[in-house]
Amino acid sequence: MKAAAFDYHRPATLAAALPLLAGGARPVSGAQSLGPMLNLRLARPAALVEVGRLPELRRVEERPEGVLYGAGITHAEFEDRAVPDPTGGILPAIAHGIAYRAVRNRGTLGGSLAHADPAADWPVTLTALGAIVHLTAPTRHREMPLRDFLRGAFDTALGEGEILAGVFVPRLSPQARWGYRKSCRKVGEFAEAMAAVLLDPPRGVARLVIGATEARHIVLEGLQTLDSVEAALAGAGLTEDPARARLFRTVVREALAAATGEGAHA
Amino acid sequence: MNRVTIEVNGRVLAAEVAPRQHLGDFLREELLLTATHLGCEHGVCGACTVLIDGAPARSCIAFPAMLDGAKITTLEGLSDDPVTAELRAAFTAEHGLQCGFCTPGMLIMARDIVLRRPGADEEAIRHELAGNLCRCTGYVGIVRAVRAVAAARAGLPAEVTRGLPVPAPAYVSPLALPEAGALAPAGRAAPAAAPPSAPPPSVDEKSLETLKNPVRLEQRFTVPAGVGAVWDFFQRPEAVVACLPGARLVAPSDGTRFEAEMTVKLGPMQAAFRGAGTIAADAASYTGTLRGQGVDSRSASRVQAELVYRLEPAGVATAVHVDIAYALQGPLAQMSRGAIARDLAGRLTVAFAQNLAAALAGAGAPAAPAPLDGGGLLLAMVKDWLGRLFRRRG
């Protein structure tokens, strides 16, 4: 349970970090997902480059239409409302449910999204919220919907030498409704099934995202019938095992009920 | 080796650290601060929890090389801390420990809970403590002890730390710590060259029959070639293996046995499986089976797999049915929480089918299947929901 040898660089600026990343080093911020993989020797990077504390990745910019978060904002900063929140309390509530406080103190938003674990909270939540990721490479900057960025289990659209620098979360309307459920064996463990529902009629948004699929998230736009949800689950191979199918049906049903029920942000 | 300046329990140290050394080992091995216990060493059990810049963190997945300028506080450094003193008394009164292994992590975490959430009830404490495991299962006493201190602090302002330093204690450690500049380089040897890869394991047919809870995948595709040509292709192991991304034969196959190597990547993880297997084919029914098992010698993960193929004439073309079953064991399976590798295996199977079709047809590969995506907007339901929403508001 000791990591294999690697080199470590801590550049002072993003401009200094990018050439190192282009040279094949892996970015690291809180190391709360990468650390276990290093210790288990499942990941053996030749070099790591610290990016989580770069000033460019620690910026937060509030705009009328939403908030642009630097990728280095920690889960605990969301949980404690130390950063502005355009979602009426959704982000702090989700952050509170991520792993444990000792992990939330160090783990970052950008690290979680770039790691792209299908059973993690931020990928499901922020896909449902319609977040946009900002990607930076030495010669270009591009933006894309998080939904397109996440391509599968641990697979993203990041190119060689490119890093996830920021995440834009759109501001919800006051009428927006939210439902979120995850099924975990134990508090703080990775979920076995999860679902997020966002209904925001003034902005024309009705979206259901199903996570912990061991593959790309299922994203259903528009209000759904139970049949269409069932077809999506079956299409993803999630109904073959009856126990597992039941978990997914339950989290979807409960998330939908929470979003369409009487409570504001359930 | 990287040079860092790091403050431990109020004393500023300069150290040469190997980037791979984690904070728990640094504290225990270099500084002899052994209150920090190492249990799982992959961030699950919480025994190694310390304060980094005042906030609890797992020392087994923090690395001193990345902590230049940080202030670390271990349980030794909290000897004079009044809140920790209250917790010690409460743990004693409520029998909050049995073997004591988890206790340092419990105390560090409990201190953060009672400061951050004064007056927290039992449910909140159990939620907040979920990341610290007690192998004696003595949670009742632990929770009761934390509850007693939290209750005594009800009404006090919350003290939230996410990385703010706590004041240095007067008492540091009974052990002499070297001052900054005095710490000798830890003298870690350069990493040895990778050990020669282990010889491929012999094929154990019996173990394949006991494939427990395998992940099953199936793939159907049509290739524009006659069944005879496709069958001939399937009898050439080197040609079939070449269709699997990352795989290659390590020795020529005699048609009944094979030795192969396969590299797979899953995010930051990479595994190189090397193994052996058997090939069985029945030309009369156009079916065949490949069985094999392999080991990733670096992570000690093992895989067992079975591939069954069946060919069917479909006019001038051939329908190919491929069923794959596999089971992973070892760290890779542990990390992947069951069957997360299914997605990877699914993508590999699709790529295999495409490459096979392309190789047989000598033409371009078929387009990738469309990602699973949502159905259309059900306008009636939206209208219905909007109607209810506005009735309620009106």
Side-chain angles (χ1 to χ4, degrees), chain A residues 1-10 26 28-44 48 50 53 74 76-77 79-80 82 96-97 100-106 115 117-119 147 151-155 174-175 177 186-191 199-201 206 214-225 228 232 235-237 240 244 259-262, chain B residues 2 18-22 25 38 40-44 49 52-53 55-58 60-63 65-70 109 112 116-117 126-133 160-163 191 216 265-271 296-299 301 331-332 334-344 347 371-378 381-383 385-386 388-390 392-393:
Chain A
M1 307 304 273
K2 313 291 181 193
F6 57 84
D7 291 331
Y8 169 73
H9 308 284
R10 186 173 173 184
R26 283 196 68 87
V28 63
S29 49
Q32 299 301 290
S33 294
L34 186 59
M37 290 183 176
L38 289 172
N39 285 3
L40 288 163
R41 299 202 174 193
L42 293 170
R44 293 168 172 249
L48 294 181
E50 167 97 37
R53 287 177 287 182
T74 64
E77 285 171 313
E79 180 184 19
D80 296 346
H96 179 63
Y100 318 107
R101 181 74 185 186
V103 169
R104 299 197 288 272
N105 281 328
R106 301 199 70 74
H115 188 62
D117 190 320
R147 173 188 180 167
R151 295 201 304 201
F154 304 116
D155 188 17
Q175 290 82 30
R177 297 294 184 114
K186 167 182 165 293
V187 171
E189 276 300 310
F190 279 101
L199 303 172
D200 197 351
E214 295 167 4
R216 193 175 200 175
H217 300 100
I218 300 172
V219 183
L220 300 170
E221 296 283 353
L223 288 189
Q224 303 295 317
T225 61
S228 64
E240 285 157 24
R244 200 151 173 257
T260 53
E262 295 297 312
Chain B
N2 292 29
R20 77 189 194 106
Q21 185 179 44
H22 65 63
D25 272 347
L38 291 171
C40 71
E41 286 195 273
H42 64 290
V44 172
T49 307
I52 299 179
D53 291 330
R58 314 276 206 225
C60 70
I61 50 173
F63 298 85
M66 305 180 192
L67 292 169
D68 189 29
M109 204 57 233
D112 180 65
R116 195 159 41 84
R117 305 186 64 175
R126 283 186 176 271
H127 182 100
E128 292 277 358
L129 263 184
N132 290 64
L133 304 183
V160 178
T161 47
R162 290 182 301 272
R216 294 187 185 280
K265 275 197 79 174
L266 189 58
M269 298 179 275
Q270 186 164 4
D296 172 30
S297 60
R298 301 208 300 184
S299 72
S301 296
L332 198 59
Q334 187 184 350
M335 196 65 230
S336 67
R337 302 186 308 275
I340 209 160
R342 170 195 280 268
D343 182 44
L344 174 75
R347 280 182 274 158
L372 179 75
D373 225 326
L377 189 79
L378 297 171
M381 282 190 68
V382 178
K383 280 183 181 157
W385 179 71
L386 281 173
R388 281 191 291 123
L389 187 71
F390 287 109
R392 192 160 57 234
R393 285 178 183 276

Side-chain angles (χ1 to χ4, degrees), chain A residues 1-246:
Chain A
M1 307 304 273
K2 313 291 181 193
F6 57 84
D7 291 331
Y8 169 73
H9 308 284
R10 186 173 173 184
T13 63
L14 183 58
L18 290 173
L20 291 167
L21 294 165
R26 283 196 68 87
V28 63
S29 49
Q32 299 301 290
S33 294
L34 186 59
M37 290 183 176
L38 289 172
N39 285 3
L40 288 163
R41 299 202 174 193
L42 293 170
R44 293 168 172 249
L48 294 181
V49 176
E50 167 97 37
V51 296
R53 287 177 287 182
L54 293 172
E56 294 90 339
L57 271 64
R58 288 283 307 158
R59 278 184 16 208
V60 176
E61 189 184 322
E62 187 155 24
R63 301 174 181 173
E65 70 279 14
V67 178
L68 175 61
Y69 298 101
I73 304 301
T74 64
H75 312 321
E77 285 171 313
F78 283 100
E79 180 184 19
D80 296 346
R81 298 171 187 261
V83 288
D85 167 28
T87 65
I90 295 171
L91 297 180
I94 296 299
H96 179 63
I98 297 174
Y100 318 107
R101 181 74 185 186
V103 169
R104 299 197 288 272
N105 281 328
R106 301 199 70 74
T108 63
L109 173 69
S112 171
L113 295 180
H115 188 62
D117 190 320
D121 292 271
W122 284 135
V124 172
T125 300
L126 294 174
T127 298
L129 291 173
I132 309 284
V133 292
H134 289 226
L135 311 178
T136 299
T139 53
R140 66 168 172 174
H141 176 88
R142 57 182 180 140
E143 298 171 15
M144 70 166 73
L146 176 62
R147 173 188 180 167
D148 299 334
F149 175 78
L150 300 168
R151 295 201 304 201
F154 304 116
D155 188 17
T156 69
L158 275 174
E160 282 296 311
E162 192 173 43
I163 65 165
L164 197 164
V167 183
F168 177 78
V169 179
R171 193 176 299 280
L172 301 186
S173 76
Q175 290 82 30
R177 297 294 184 114
W178 172 254
Y180 186 78
R181 285 294 182 278
K182 59 176 178 173
S183 174
C184 307
R185 282 284 185 93
K186 167 182 165 293
V187 171
E189 276 300 310
F190 279 101
E192 294 183 314
M194 59 207 308
V197 176
L198 176 67
L199 303 172
D200 197 351
R203 295 169 56 241
V205 176
R207 190 178 292 127
L208 165 66
V209 180
I210 301 171
T213 55
E214 295 167 4
R216 193 175 200 175
H217 300 100
I218 300 172
V219 183
L220 300 170
E221 296 283 353
L223 288 189
Q224 303 295 317
T225 61
L226 286 179
D227 284 347
S228 64
V229 172
E230 186 67 23
L233 289 173
L238 299 172
T239 51
E240 285 157 24
D241 173 12
R244 200 151 173 257
R246 192 165 173 170

